[in-house]
Amino acid sequence: TKERLYQFYDLVKSSGLKEFEKAIETFRNWQKQIMNSFGYDLHNGFIEGLNNQTKVIKRNAFGFKRFDRFRLRVLLHHQYKYIKFRVA
């Protein structure tokens, strides 16, 4: 994969298009992360989904006056049922 990426760099460099040269500069800056994305089957989609759901609850829960109740609502939505919590 790395060899093909270097071939792509050379092809873009030989084309002489300045827009592509800027894109190649970005690719080179992020090359380690790009190569890792091909090598490992990891992503943060699950966490991004949890964050999005929490933001939606936050948007709809403007009436909560106590943070601990809001926190419980978020945890309940994400099905964390066995959290030890004491409501004072």
Side-chain angles (χ1 to χ4, degrees):
T1 307
K2 199 175 220 181
E3 293 83 21
R4 294 194 60 171
L5 188 60
Y6 287 140
Q7 289 173 358
F8 179 68
Y9 292 162
D10 293 337
L11 180 66
V12 168
K13 195 170 191 171
S14 66
S15 71
L17 296 172
K18 294 194 186 280
E19 294 83 4
F20 280 127
E21 289 176 11
K22 183 68 176 173
I24 291 302
E25 182 181 331
T26 303
F27 281 164
R28 287 191 178 170
N29 289 339
W30 291 92
Q31 180 171 333
K32 181 179 177 183
Q33 290 81 2
I34 292 170
M35 296 304 293
N36 284 339
S37 72
F38 288 124
Y40 302 103
D41 189 29
L42 299 174
H43 56 83
N44 62 348
F46 178 74
I47 299 300
E48 291 293 331
L50 288 178
N51 288 341
N52 186 33
Q53 289 175 350
T54 304
K55 287 179 183 181
V56 169
I57 293 170
K58 180 180 162 189
R59 229 183 352 257
N60 293 330
F62 60 88
F64 284 106
K65 294 180 180 172
R66 292 175 49 181
F67 177 75
D68 57 345
R69 302 270 172 114
F70 170 69
R71 180 178 178 270
L72 285 175
R73 175 67 182 104
V74 170
L75 292 175
L76 179 66
H77 178 77
H78 294 306
Q79 298 178 358
Y80 293 111
K81 296 178 183 174
Y82 302 108
I83 303 257
K84 293 180 183 177
F85 185 82
R86 189 180 72 167
V87 177

